Amino acid sequence: MIWAVLPAAGRGQRFGGPIPKQYLHAAGKPLIEHALAALLAHPRVSGAMVALSADDALWPGWSELLGKPVLRCIGGGERADSVLAGLRALPGHAGDDTLVLVHDAARPNLRRADLDALIAAAEGDPAGAILGAPLRDTLKRAGAGRILATEPRDGLWRAFTPQAFRRGALTAALAEAAAAGVVVTDEASAMERIGLRPRLVEGREDNLKVTTPADLALAEYLLGA
Ligand SMILES: Nc1ccn([C@@H]2O[C@H](COP(=O)(O)OP(=O)(O)OP(=O)(O)O)[C@@H](O)[C@H]2O)c(=O)n1
Ligand SMILES: C[C@](O)(CO)[C@H](O)COP(=O)(O)O
């Protein structure tokens, strides 16, 4: 069994604007709908859990999308808290061995081929797997608007989502990080903390996270192309 968990309780502070960015439209739909649909369109995905902010006034109220259940819960102060809340709110029949795909509601351009590759990699590996791409630009360390150093980039990847792990293992790892007061910025970090080495699956670099207005313009182009 495979379920999706979408952290969607962010405020979009880096984006600015009057509404949380996950509700901004690109190619005629809110970003969150693109993200949800990309996951629920996969025949192996049974349903989705969306973690929303307590005062979310824009959630369209879907109980299903593409004929599959869309459940919701209240997220938390950090992205990791929202993911943990979503994992805990999944239905009881989605047991500890359920493969969970955690995907940012702000990433509207997930492609089917990438999702297929991620599922294939994660299903066969207890350490799980994430989508990402190797760094292809020279890295500079910045300070006061100037170059402080050039950092080695060999072996460095950008981490995307979805990130795919078994429900029980990921729930325990995120709970342990939270109990230790450690804020992890992605699910793989929580699994790394407990000694696991998730697989890296190279995915398309246009699986962008909409963080700033320039990203929305690019998403509009990509989704409309
Ligand atoms: N407490 C939080 C913070 C973020 N997210 C979600 O995690 C995803 C990626 O986070 P990010 O791009 O940082 O979104 P925001 O936190 O909204 O952006 P910002 O940091 O600019 O406020 C988004 O779908 C966001 O809604 C969440 O569910 N709960
Ligand atoms: C999970 C993530 O999208 C992987 O790159 C990223 O860590 C989210 O970071 P954010 O600062 O919460 O957007």
Side-chain angles (χ1 to χ4, degrees):
M1 182 182 291
I2 300 177
W3 273 75
V5 170
L6 283 86
R11 301 256 180 242
Q13 291 173 324
R14 285 171 288 179
F15 192 96
I19 66 172
K21 63 187 181 183
Q22 55 269 32
Y23 292 111
L24 296 172
H25 280 220
K29 291 179 183 176
L31 300 181
I32 190 170
E33 184 171 352
H34 287 289
L36 265 171
L39 292 156
L40 294 174
H42 196 286
R44 296 282 313 280
V45 175
S46 300
M49 170 66 69
V50 184
L52 301 172
S53 66
D55 59 355
D56 187 310
L58 295 170
W59 169 248
W62 299 305
S63 58
E64 68 169 35
L65 199 64
L66 301 180
K68 294 180 181 176
V70 176
L71 311 177
R72 65 185 186 276
C73 70
I74 301 303
E78 300 289 346
R79 181 185 175 283
D81 300 320
S82 297
V83 174
L84 185 54
L87 288 166
R88 286 172 166 161
L90 285 171
H93 64 264
D96 281 352
D97 283 342
T98 297
L99 189 66
V100 176
L101 308 172
V102 182
H103 185 52
D104 296 327
R107 288 186 189 263
N109 199 38
L110 173 62
R111 302 301 180 100
R112 173 64 178 275
D114 283 359
L115 194 46
D116 285 337
L118 178 69
I119 291 170
E123 276 194 317
D125 196 317
I130 74 168
L131 285 178
L135 276 181
R136 295 191 170 93
D137 301 301
T138 294
L139 277 182
K140 302 293 185 186
R141 181 166 300 281
R146 291 187 178 279
I147 296 173
L148 299 183
T150 296
E151 298 293 344
R153 72 175 185 208
D154 292 348
L156 294 185
W157 279 50
R158 296 162 61 206
F160 303 151
T161 69
Q163 302 200 1
F165 300 98
R166 299 291 170 184
R167 178 188 182 182
L170 182 56
T171 303
L174 285 170
E176 183 169 325
V182 173
V183 176
V184 292
T185 57
D186 71 345
E187 290 63 61
S189 303
M191 304 300 275
E192 295 160 46
R193 281 190 76 251
I194 61 173
L196 294 172
R197 294 282 173 264
R199 294 178 68 177
L200 282 162
V201 177
E202 185 166 356
R204 292 172 59 117
E205 297 206 50
D206 60 8
N207 175 15
L208 79 164
K209 178 167 68 74
V210 174
T211 307
T212 67
D215 299 326
L216 183 65
L218 181 52
E220 177 75 46
Y221 168 75
L222 291 168
L223 291 162

